[in-house]
Amino acid sequence: MGEQQTQSLWDHTLTFFPQFLAAVEERAASGATIANRGASDGGFVVPLAAVGYRVIAVERDPLALHGGSVHLPGDENAHTTGLIDRLKLQALHDRVQFVEEDFLQAEPLGVLCDAVWTSCSWHNSANRHSPLAEFVTRTQEMVRPGGLFGAEFMMPVTQRHYLIEHYTSPEKLRRHLIGDWDVLLTLRTNEFTERAYVGQLRDHTHRMGLLLAAHTPSSSLYQEKKDS
């Protein structure tokens, strides 16, 4: 058994999260509520909580939440610290609410969030049984008027990927934003080689995209809802 892994297993992977965080800091109040759908072991939850946001972590994987043995590149095994214990070690546990359920099967949160972030989740094979539109719609429904929707996602590389709708693009994804949404930013990478990680034990080629949007219902409709 190797050493204990206390950092996120995804710390070295490419992410557009800094762009999302900058948009949140510009638009949301201090102490805002941010949901991370597909929170994994907390690569985004921990930094959000550390700067003072209230975080709702939606994750169904017991290993990601509670830790356990993982097989690492280089044919090594390690015990990884789960998100819950990582938060406790940094005295951030009280800032995070956990939803330990399948996102598409869980009951509504009962609160609208100031921003929602999801990273490379819907393209995973375990989630491809549900249409991409369902993932996007359920995520949209978590965002309050004036709030932010942020998603980074895998774009197609091989011919096989082009046949799977979950490998999408910023242009295709924005078509799923039903209702009053203002797309603030789209980004994409060229093909790049990413180092091996848990679940993908060899170096591999990716393309990634980002879409940031703001929920901007018409002022009259929004006022009617507030008054009702």
Side-chain angles (χ1 to χ4, degrees):
M1 179 67 72
E3 296 182 359
Q4 177 157 312
Q5 172 76 34
T6 56
Q7 293 181 315
S8 170
L9 294 169
W10 315 104
D11 273 354
H12 72 275
T13 58
L14 184 148
T15 179
F16 290 116
F17 178 71
Q19 285 85 350
F20 170 75
L21 184 58
V24 171
E25 291 174 338
E26 178 181 347
R27 290 171 171 264
S30 176
T33 298
I34 316 295
N36 182 191
R37 193 189 74 68
S40 189
D41 65 356
F44 308 117
V45 172
V46 172
L48 285 169
V51 295
Y53 295 116
R54 304 290 302 179
V55 185
I56 300 174
V58 184
E59 178 57 60
R60 66 177 178 178
D61 181 5
L63 179 64
L65 291 172
H66 304 286
S69 180
V70 294
H71 190 58
L72 300 174
D75 200 28
E76 296 182 1
N77 291 320
H79 181 88
T80 183
T81 302
L83 171 56
I84 293 174
D85 283 341
R86 290 182 63 221
L87 289 166
K88 289 178 178 178
L89 287 170
Q90 300 183 55
L92 297 172
H93 187 268
D94 290 345
R95 297 183 185 174
V96 180
Q97 172 188 343
F98 298 95
V99 180
E100 299 185 43
E101 297 181 66
D102 183 324
F103 170 71
L104 295 179
Q105 302 300 321
E107 292 294 324
L109 295 177
V111 61
L112 293 178
C113 300
D114 298 286
V116 178
W117 172 250
T118 187
S119 170
C120 300
S121 54
W122 56 57
H123 73 281
N124 289 337
S125 58
N127 292 326
R128 289 188 207 151
H129 63 280
S130 297
L132 176 58
E134 188 173 354
F135 282 91
V136 178
T137 298
R138 286 293 299 270
T139 306
Q140 281 183 266
E141 291 172 348
M142 301 168 68
V143 182
R144 68 164 178 82
L148 293 170
F149 167 94
E152 62 181 7
F153 44 88
M154 295 300 180
M155 296 178 62
V157 176
T158 68
Q159 186 61 37
R160 176 180 65 86
H161 293 157
Y162 283 94
L163 302 176
I164 302 171
E165 69 161 346
H166 300 75
Y167 287 86
T168 188
S169 68
E171 293 78 18
K172 290 181 179 179
L173 184 61
R174 71 191 300 162
R175 299 173 195 164
H176 292 291
L177 292 175
I178 306 302
D180 298 306
W181 290 86
D182 180 18
V183 175
L184 304 175
L185 177 67
T186 62
L187 294 172
R188 74 193 67 220
T189 69
N190 295 321
E191 292 186 11
F192 66 96
T193 299
E194 191 155 58
R195 290 163 44 198
Y197 49 69
V198 172
Q200 180 57 269
L201 299 179
R202 296 182 180 179
D203 292 355
H204 49 286
T205 302
H206 278 327
R207 290 172 69 213
M208 288 181 61
L210 168 76
L211 186 144
L212 291 178
H215 188 191
T216 55
S218 63
S219 58
S220 59
L221 178 61
Y222 180 33
Q223 189 62 47
E224 287 176 10
K225 289 184 176 181
K226 286 180 66 179
D227 294 341
S228 61

